[in-house]
Short mmCIF file of all heavy atoms in Angstrom, two decimals:
data_model
loop_
_atom_site.label_atom_id
_atom_site.label_comp_id
_atom_site.label_asym_id
_atom_site.label_seq_id
_atom_site.Cartn_x
_atom_site.Cartn_y
_atom_site.Cartn_z
N PRO A 1477 -13.79 -80.83 -66.46
CA PRO A 1477 -14.02 -80.12 -65.19
C PRO A 1477 -13.84 -81.00 -63.95
O PRO A 1477 -13.56 -80.50 -62.86
CB PRO A 1477 -15.47 -79.64 -65.29
CG PRO A 1477 -15.78 -79.61 -66.74
CD PRO A 1477 -14.97 -80.73 -67.34
N GLY A 1478 -14.01 -82.32 -64.07
CA GLY A 1478 -13.87 -83.21 -62.93
C GLY A 1478 -14.95 -82.99 -61.88
O GLY A 1478 -15.99 -82.38 -62.14
N TYR A 1479 -14.69 -83.49 -60.70
CA TYR A 1479 -15.63 -83.41 -59.58
C TYR A 1479 -15.63 -81.99 -59.02
O TYR A 1479 -14.57 -81.46 -58.70
CB TYR A 1479 -15.21 -84.44 -58.53
CG TYR A 1479 -16.02 -84.44 -57.27
CD1 TYR A 1479 -17.41 -84.51 -57.31
CD2 TYR A 1479 -15.40 -84.41 -56.03
CE1 TYR A 1479 -18.15 -84.53 -56.14
CE2 TYR A 1479 -16.14 -84.44 -54.85
CZ TYR A 1479 -17.51 -84.50 -54.93
OH TYR A 1479 -18.25 -84.51 -53.77
N HIS A 1480 -16.79 -81.39 -58.89
CA HIS A 1480 -16.86 -79.96 -58.53
C HIS A 1480 -16.24 -79.62 -57.18
O HIS A 1480 -15.72 -78.53 -57.01
CB HIS A 1480 -18.32 -79.47 -58.59
CG HIS A 1480 -19.18 -79.95 -57.47
ND1 HIS A 1480 -19.71 -81.22 -57.45
CD2 HIS A 1480 -19.61 -79.34 -56.35
CE1 HIS A 1480 -20.42 -81.37 -56.35
NE2 HIS A 1480 -20.38 -80.25 -55.66
N CYS A 1481 -16.26 -80.54 -56.22
CA CYS A 1481 -15.66 -80.25 -54.91
C CYS A 1481 -14.14 -80.32 -54.94
O CYS A 1481 -13.49 -79.70 -54.10
CB CYS A 1481 -16.19 -81.23 -53.87
SG CYS A 1481 -17.93 -80.97 -53.47
N ASP A 1482 -13.59 -81.06 -55.87
CA ASP A 1482 -12.14 -81.17 -56.05
C ASP A 1482 -11.88 -81.47 -57.52
O ASP A 1482 -11.80 -82.63 -57.92
CB ASP A 1482 -11.56 -82.27 -55.17
CG ASP A 1482 -10.05 -82.39 -55.29
OD1 ASP A 1482 -9.43 -81.63 -56.08
OD2 ASP A 1482 -9.47 -83.24 -54.59
N PRO A 1483 -11.78 -80.43 -58.36
CA PRO A 1483 -11.63 -80.62 -59.81
C PRO A 1483 -10.43 -81.46 -60.23
O PRO A 1483 -10.37 -81.93 -61.36
CB PRO A 1483 -11.53 -79.19 -60.35
CG PRO A 1483 -12.21 -78.36 -59.32
CD PRO A 1483 -11.91 -79.02 -58.01
N LYS A 1484 -9.47 -81.68 -59.32
CA LYS A 1484 -8.34 -82.57 -59.65
C LYS A 1484 -8.80 -84.02 -59.74
O LYS A 1484 -8.14 -84.85 -60.35
CB LYS A 1484 -7.24 -82.45 -58.59
CG LYS A 1484 -6.53 -81.11 -58.59
CD LYS A 1484 -5.44 -81.12 -57.54
CE LYS A 1484 -5.38 -79.75 -56.90
NZ LYS A 1484 -4.68 -79.77 -55.63
N GLN A 1485 -9.93 -84.32 -59.10
CA GLN A 1485 -10.48 -85.66 -59.10
C GLN A 1485 -11.43 -85.85 -60.28
O GLN A 1485 -12.17 -84.95 -60.63
CB GLN A 1485 -11.26 -85.94 -57.81
CG GLN A 1485 -10.43 -85.83 -56.56
CD GLN A 1485 -9.33 -86.86 -56.52
OE1 GLN A 1485 -9.54 -88.02 -56.88
NE2 GLN A 1485 -8.15 -86.45 -56.11
N PRO A 1486 -11.41 -87.03 -60.91
CA PRO A 1486 -12.38 -87.28 -61.98
C PRO A 1486 -13.79 -87.39 -61.39
O PRO A 1486 -13.96 -87.57 -60.17
CB PRO A 1486 -11.91 -88.61 -62.58
CG PRO A 1486 -11.13 -89.27 -61.49
CD PRO A 1486 -10.52 -88.16 -60.67
N LEU A 1487 -14.77 -87.32 -62.24
CA LEU A 1487 -16.17 -87.40 -61.82
C LEU A 1487 -16.51 -88.84 -61.45
O LEU A 1487 -16.51 -89.73 -62.30
CB LEU A 1487 -17.08 -86.90 -62.94
CG LEU A 1487 -18.57 -86.95 -62.69
CD1 LEU A 1487 -18.95 -86.13 -61.46
CD2 LEU A 1487 -19.32 -86.46 -63.92
N GLY A 1488 -16.80 -89.07 -60.19
CA GLY A 1488 -17.13 -90.41 -59.71
C GLY A 1488 -18.48 -90.89 -60.21
O GLY A 1488 -19.40 -90.09 -60.42
N PHE A 1489 -18.59 -92.20 -60.40
CA PHE A 1489 -19.85 -92.78 -60.85
C PHE A 1489 -20.28 -93.96 -59.98
O PHE A 1489 -21.39 -94.00 -59.49
CB PHE A 1489 -19.74 -93.22 -62.31
CG PHE A 1489 -20.98 -93.88 -62.82
CD1 PHE A 1489 -22.16 -93.16 -62.92
CD2 PHE A 1489 -20.99 -95.21 -63.19
CE1 PHE A 1489 -23.33 -93.76 -63.38
CE2 PHE A 1489 -22.15 -95.82 -63.65
CZ PHE A 1489 -23.32 -95.09 -63.74
N MET A 1490 -19.41 -94.94 -59.78
CA MET A 1490 -19.72 -96.09 -58.94
C MET A 1490 -18.53 -96.39 -58.05
O MET A 1490 -17.39 -96.03 -58.37
CB MET A 1490 -20.03 -97.35 -59.78
CG MET A 1490 -21.32 -97.29 -60.57
SD MET A 1490 -21.70 -98.86 -61.40
CE MET A 1490 -22.67 -99.65 -60.12
N GLY A 1491 -18.80 -97.05 -56.94
CA GLY A 1491 -17.74 -97.47 -56.04
C GLY A 1491 -18.11 -98.77 -55.35
O GLY A 1491 -19.29 -99.09 -55.18
N LEU A 1492 -17.10 -99.51 -54.96
CA LEU A 1492 -17.28 -100.80 -54.31
C LEU A 1492 -16.26 -100.91 -53.19
O LEU A 1492 -15.07 -100.70 -53.42
CB LEU A 1492 -17.07 -101.91 -55.35
CG LEU A 1492 -17.12 -103.35 -54.90
CD1 LEU A 1492 -18.48 -103.70 -54.29
CD2 LEU A 1492 -16.83 -104.27 -56.10
N ALA A 1493 -16.75 -101.20 -51.98
CA ALA A 1493 -15.83 -101.27 -50.84
C ALA A 1493 -16.31 -102.30 -49.82
O ALA A 1493 -17.51 -102.53 -49.66
CB ALA A 1493 -15.71 -99.91 -50.17
N SER A 1494 -15.36 -102.90 -49.14
CA SER A 1494 -15.65 -103.81 -48.06
C SER A 1494 -15.53 -103.02 -46.76
O SER A 1494 -14.45 -102.57 -46.40
CB SER A 1494 -14.66 -104.98 -48.07
OG SER A 1494 -14.90 -105.84 -46.99
N GLN A 1495 -16.65 -102.84 -46.09
CA GLN A 1495 -16.68 -102.12 -44.81
C GLN A 1495 -16.62 -103.14 -43.68
O GLN A 1495 -16.61 -104.35 -43.92
CB GLN A 1495 -17.97 -101.28 -44.72
CG GLN A 1495 -18.21 -100.37 -45.90
CD GLN A 1495 -17.22 -99.22 -46.01
OE1 GLN A 1495 -16.36 -99.02 -45.16
NE2 GLN A 1495 -17.33 -98.46 -47.08
N LYS A 1496 -16.63 -102.66 -42.46
CA LYS A 1496 -16.53 -103.56 -41.31
C LYS A 1496 -17.67 -104.57 -41.26
O LYS A 1496 -17.45 -105.76 -41.06
CB LYS A 1496 -16.49 -102.75 -40.02
CG LYS A 1496 -16.35 -103.59 -38.78
CD LYS A 1496 -16.26 -102.75 -37.54
CE LYS A 1496 -16.13 -103.63 -36.31
NZ LYS A 1496 -16.08 -102.85 -35.08
N ASN A 1497 -18.90 -104.10 -41.46
CA ASN A 1497 -20.07 -104.96 -41.28
C ASN A 1497 -20.83 -105.29 -42.57
O ASN A 1497 -21.86 -105.96 -42.51
CB ASN A 1497 -21.04 -104.33 -40.29
CG ASN A 1497 -20.43 -104.22 -38.91
OD1 ASN A 1497 -19.83 -105.16 -38.41
ND2 ASN A 1497 -20.55 -103.06 -38.30
N TYR A 1498 -20.34 -104.81 -43.68
CA TYR A 1498 -21.06 -105.04 -44.95
C TYR A 1498 -20.18 -104.68 -46.13
O TYR A 1498 -19.14 -104.06 -45.99
CB TYR A 1498 -22.37 -104.24 -45.00
CG TYR A 1498 -22.21 -102.77 -44.74
CD1 TYR A 1498 -21.87 -101.88 -45.76
CD2 TYR A 1498 -22.39 -102.25 -43.46
CE1 TYR A 1498 -21.72 -100.53 -45.51
CE2 TYR A 1498 -22.24 -100.89 -43.21
CZ TYR A 1498 -21.91 -100.04 -44.24
OH TYR A 1498 -21.75 -98.70 -43.99
N ILE A 1499 -20.66 -105.09 -47.29
CA ILE A 1499 -20.05 -104.68 -48.56
C ILE A 1499 -20.92 -103.55 -49.09
O ILE A 1499 -22.15 -103.64 -49.08
CB ILE A 1499 -20.02 -105.84 -49.57
CG1 ILE A 1499 -19.15 -106.98 -49.02
CG2 ILE A 1499 -19.52 -105.37 -50.93
CD1 ILE A 1499 -19.34 -108.29 -49.74
N SER A 1500 -20.30 -102.48 -49.52
CA SER A 1500 -21.07 -101.34 -50.00
C SER A 1500 -20.82 -101.13 -51.49
O SER A 1500 -19.69 -101.20 -51.96
CB SER A 1500 -20.73 -100.07 -49.22
OG SER A 1500 -19.34 -99.84 -49.23
N LEU A 1501 -21.93 -100.90 -52.19
CA LEU A 1501 -21.89 -100.55 -53.60
C LEU A 1501 -22.51 -99.17 -53.73
O LEU A 1501 -23.65 -98.96 -53.31
CB LEU A 1501 -22.69 -101.56 -54.44
CG LEU A 1501 -22.83 -101.20 -55.92
CD1 LEU A 1501 -21.46 -101.26 -56.62
CD2 LEU A 1501 -23.82 -102.14 -56.60
N TYR A 1502 -21.74 -98.25 -54.26
CA TYR A 1502 -22.20 -96.87 -54.44
C TYR A 1502 -22.53 -96.68 -55.92
O TYR A 1502 -21.72 -97.00 -56.77
CB TYR A 1502 -21.11 -95.88 -54.03
CG TYR A 1502 -20.68 -96.02 -52.60
CD1 TYR A 1502 -19.72 -96.95 -52.23
CD2 TYR A 1502 -21.26 -95.25 -51.60
CE1 TYR A 1502 -19.33 -97.09 -50.91
CE2 TYR A 1502 -20.87 -95.38 -50.28
CZ TYR A 1502 -19.91 -96.30 -49.94
OH TYR A 1502 -19.53 -96.45 -48.63
N SER A 1503 -23.70 -96.16 -56.18
CA SER A 1503 -24.09 -95.85 -57.55
C SER A 1503 -24.70 -94.46 -57.56
O SER A 1503 -25.84 -94.25 -57.14
CB SER A 1503 -25.10 -96.88 -58.07
OG SER A 1503 -25.46 -96.56 -59.39
N MET A 1504 -23.91 -93.51 -58.02
CA MET A 1504 -24.32 -92.12 -57.93
C MET A 1504 -25.54 -91.80 -58.78
O MET A 1504 -26.28 -90.87 -58.48
CB MET A 1504 -23.15 -91.20 -58.30
CG MET A 1504 -22.00 -91.29 -57.32
SD MET A 1504 -22.49 -91.04 -55.59
CE MET A 1504 -23.02 -89.34 -55.65
N CYS A 1505 -25.81 -92.58 -59.83
CA CYS A 1505 -27.00 -92.29 -60.64
C CYS A 1505 -28.27 -92.54 -59.84
O CYS A 1505 -29.31 -91.94 -60.13
CB CYS A 1505 -27.00 -93.06 -61.95
SG CYS A 1505 -27.36 -94.82 -61.81
N LEU A 1506 -28.21 -93.37 -58.81
CA LEU A 1506 -29.39 -93.60 -57.96
C LEU A 1506 -29.70 -92.37 -57.12
O LEU A 1506 -30.85 -92.10 -56.80
CB LEU A 1506 -29.18 -94.82 -57.06
CG LEU A 1506 -28.97 -96.15 -57.78
CD1 LEU A 1506 -28.73 -97.26 -56.78
CD2 LEU A 1506 -30.15 -96.47 -58.68
N TYR A 1507 -28.67 -91.64 -56.76
CA TYR A 1507 -28.82 -90.42 -55.97
C TYR A 1507 -29.15 -89.23 -56.86
O TYR A 1507 -29.90 -88.35 -56.48
CB TYR A 1507 -27.53 -90.16 -55.19
CG TYR A 1507 -27.54 -88.92 -54.34
CD1 TYR A 1507 -28.41 -88.82 -53.27
CD2 TYR A 1507 -26.67 -87.88 -54.59
CE1 TYR A 1507 -28.41 -87.69 -52.46
CE2 TYR A 1507 -26.67 -86.74 -53.79
CZ TYR A 1507 -27.54 -86.66 -52.73
OH TYR A 1507 -27.55 -85.54 -51.94
N GLY A 1508 -28.62 -89.24 -58.06
CA GLY A 1508 -28.74 -88.08 -58.94
C GLY A 1508 -29.97 -88.05 -59.83
O GLY A 1508 -30.27 -87.00 -60.40
N ALA A 1509 -30.68 -89.16 -59.95
CA ALA A 1509 -31.83 -89.19 -60.87
C ALA A 1509 -32.92 -90.11 -60.32
O ALA A 1509 -32.71 -91.32 -60.18
CB ALA A 1509 -31.39 -89.67 -62.25
N ASN A 1510 -34.06 -89.53 -60.01
CA ASN A 1510 -35.15 -90.30 -59.41
C ASN A 1510 -35.59 -91.47 -60.28
O ASN A 1510 -35.98 -92.51 -59.76
CB ASN A 1510 -36.34 -89.39 -59.10
CG ASN A 1510 -36.11 -88.56 -57.85
OD1 ASN A 1510 -35.29 -88.92 -57.01
ND2 ASN A 1510 -36.81 -87.46 -57.75
N ASN A 1511 -35.56 -91.31 -61.61
CA ASN A 1511 -36.02 -92.41 -62.46
C ASN A 1511 -35.13 -93.64 -62.31
O ASN A 1511 -35.61 -94.77 -62.35
CB ASN A 1511 -36.12 -91.98 -63.93
CG ASN A 1511 -34.79 -91.55 -64.53
OD1 ASN A 1511 -33.98 -90.89 -63.87
ND2 ASN A 1511 -34.56 -91.91 -65.77
N HIS A 1512 -33.84 -93.45 -62.10
CA HIS A 1512 -32.94 -94.59 -61.90
C HIS A 1512 -33.17 -95.22 -60.52
O HIS A 1512 -33.16 -96.44 -60.38
CB HIS A 1512 -31.49 -94.18 -62.08
CG HIS A 1512 -31.18 -93.72 -63.46
ND1 HIS A 1512 -31.25 -94.56 -64.55
CD2 HIS A 1512 -30.85 -92.51 -63.95
CE1 HIS A 1512 -30.96 -93.88 -65.65
NE2 HIS A 1512 -30.72 -92.63 -65.30
N LEU A 1513 -33.39 -94.39 -59.52
CA LEU A 1513 -33.67 -94.90 -58.17
C LEU A 1513 -34.98 -95.69 -58.17
O LEU A 1513 -35.03 -96.81 -57.64
CB LEU A 1513 -33.75 -93.74 -57.17
CG LEU A 1513 -34.15 -94.13 -55.74
CD1 LEU A 1513 -33.15 -95.11 -55.14
CD2 LEU A 1513 -34.27 -92.87 -54.89
N GLU A 1514 -36.02 -95.15 -58.78
CA GLU A 1514 -37.31 -95.85 -58.82
C GLU A 1514 -37.18 -97.17 -59.59
O GLU A 1514 -37.73 -98.19 -59.17
CB GLU A 1514 -38.37 -94.96 -59.47
CG GLU A 1514 -38.78 -93.81 -58.58
CD GLU A 1514 -39.66 -92.79 -59.30
OE1 GLU A 1514 -40.14 -93.08 -60.43
OE2 GLU A 1514 -39.86 -91.71 -58.73
N TRP A 1515 -36.45 -97.16 -60.69
CA TRP A 1515 -36.22 -98.39 -61.45
C TRP A 1515 -35.56 -99.43 -60.56
O TRP A 1515 -35.99 -100.58 -60.50
CB TRP A 1515 -35.35 -98.10 -62.68
CG TRP A 1515 -34.85 -99.36 -63.32
CD1 TRP A 1515 -35.52 -100.14 -64.23
CD2 TRP A 1515 -33.61 -100.02 -63.07
NE1 TRP A 1515 -34.77 -101.23 -64.56
CE2 TRP A 1515 -33.59 -101.18 -63.86
CE3 TRP A 1515 -32.51 -99.73 -62.26
CZ2 TRP A 1515 -32.51 -102.06 -63.86
CZ3 TRP A 1515 -31.44 -100.61 -62.26
CH2 TRP A 1515 -31.44 -101.75 -63.05
N PHE A 1516 -34.48 -99.03 -59.86
CA PHE A 1516 -33.74 -99.96 -59.02
C PHE A 1516 -34.62 -100.52 -57.91
O PHE A 1516 -34.63 -101.73 -57.66
CB PHE A 1516 -32.49 -99.30 -58.45
CG PHE A 1516 -31.61 -100.26 -57.71
CD1 PHE A 1516 -30.76 -101.10 -58.41
CD2 PHE A 1516 -31.65 -100.35 -56.33
CE1 PHE A 1516 -29.96 -102.02 -57.74
CE2 PHE A 1516 -30.86 -101.26 -55.65
CZ PHE A 1516 -30.01 -102.09 -56.36
N GLN A 1517 -35.36 -99.66 -57.24
CA GLN A 1517 -36.23 -100.11 -56.15
C GLN A 1517 -37.31 -101.07 -56.66
O GLN A 1517 -37.66 -102.02 -55.96
CB GLN A 1517 -36.87 -98.91 -55.45
CG GLN A 1517 -35.86 -98.11 -54.65
CD GLN A 1517 -36.41 -96.79 -54.14
OE1 GLN A 1517 -37.30 -96.18 -54.74
NE2 GLN A 1517 -35.86 -96.33 -53.03
N ASN A 1518 -37.82 -100.83 -57.85
CA ASN A 1518 -38.84 -101.72 -58.44
C ASN A 1518 -38.24 -103.05 -58.89
O ASN A 1518 -38.91 -104.08 -58.85
CB ASN A 1518 -39.54 -101.04 -59.61
CG ASN A 1518 -40.46 -99.94 -59.16
OD1 ASN A 1518 -41.00 -99.97 -58.05
ND2 ASN A 1518 -40.64 -98.93 -60.00
N GLU A 1519 -36.99 -103.03 -59.35
CA GLU A 1519 -36.34 -104.25 -59.81
C GLU A 1519 -35.84 -105.12 -58.65
O GLU A 1519 -35.79 -106.34 -58.79
CB GLU A 1519 -35.15 -103.90 -60.72
CG GLU A 1519 -35.55 -103.34 -62.07
CD GLU A 1519 -36.30 -104.35 -62.92
OE1 GLU A 1519 -35.77 -105.45 -63.17
OE2 GLU A 1519 -37.43 -104.03 -63.33
N TRP A 1520 -35.47 -104.52 -57.55
CA TRP A 1520 -34.87 -105.24 -56.42
C TRP A 1520 -35.64 -106.51 -56.05
O TRP A 1520 -35.03 -107.60 -55.97
CB TRP A 1520 -34.73 -104.32 -55.22
CG TRP A 1520 -34.14 -105.02 -54.04
CD1 TRP A 1520 -34.82 -105.60 -53.00
CD2 TRP A 1520 -32.76 -105.27 -53.79
NE1 TRP A 1520 -33.95 -106.18 -52.11
CE2 TRP A 1520 -32.67 -105.99 -52.58
CE3 TRP A 1520 -31.59 -104.96 -54.48
CZ2 TRP A 1520 -31.48 -106.41 -52.04
CZ3 TRP A 1520 -30.38 -105.37 -53.92
CH2 TRP A 1520 -30.33 -106.07 -52.72
N PRO A 1521 -36.96 -106.45 -55.83
CA PRO A 1521 -37.66 -107.68 -55.41
C PRO A 1521 -37.69 -108.78 -56.47
O PRO A 1521 -37.93 -109.94 -56.16
CB PRO A 1521 -39.09 -107.22 -55.11
CG PRO A 1521 -39.14 -105.76 -55.32
CD PRO A 1521 -37.82 -105.29 -55.83
N LYS A 1522 -37.39 -108.45 -57.71
CA LYS A 1522 -37.33 -109.46 -58.77
C LYS A 1522 -36.03 -110.28 -58.68
O LYS A 1522 -35.93 -111.36 -59.25
CB LYS A 1522 -37.40 -108.80 -60.15
CG LYS A 1522 -38.70 -108.06 -60.39
CD LYS A 1522 -38.64 -107.32 -61.72
CE LYS A 1522 -39.86 -106.43 -61.91
NZ LYS A 1522 -39.76 -105.62 -63.14
N TYR A 1523 -35.03 -109.73 -57.97
CA TYR A 1523 -33.71 -110.35 -57.90
C TYR A 1523 -33.30 -110.78 -56.50
O TYR A 1523 -32.32 -111.50 -56.35
CB TYR A 1523 -32.64 -109.38 -58.44
CG TYR A 1523 -32.79 -109.11 -59.90
CD1 TYR A 1523 -33.66 -108.13 -60.37
CD2 TYR A 1523 -32.09 -109.87 -60.83
CE1 TYR A 1523 -33.81 -107.89 -61.72
CE2 TYR A 1523 -32.23 -109.64 -62.19
CZ TYR A 1523 -33.10 -108.65 -62.63
OH TYR A 1523 -33.25 -108.42 -63.97
N SER A 1524 -34.03 -110.29 -55.49
CA SER A 1524 -33.65 -110.60 -54.11
C SER A 1524 -34.88 -110.69 -53.22
O SER A 1524 -35.81 -109.88 -53.34
CB SER A 1524 -32.72 -109.51 -53.57
OG SER A 1524 -32.38 -109.79 -52.22
#
């Protein structure tokens, strides 16, 4: 079925891009599932 907004596109999961003022890492599972977001937020201070 692909991505619902444009089925010609595959289903996106992660992305990495260099923007003007920062590097951006997109992780759709953080947006799509609270348990993954909470895990990431709890792990962050252990690594940074």
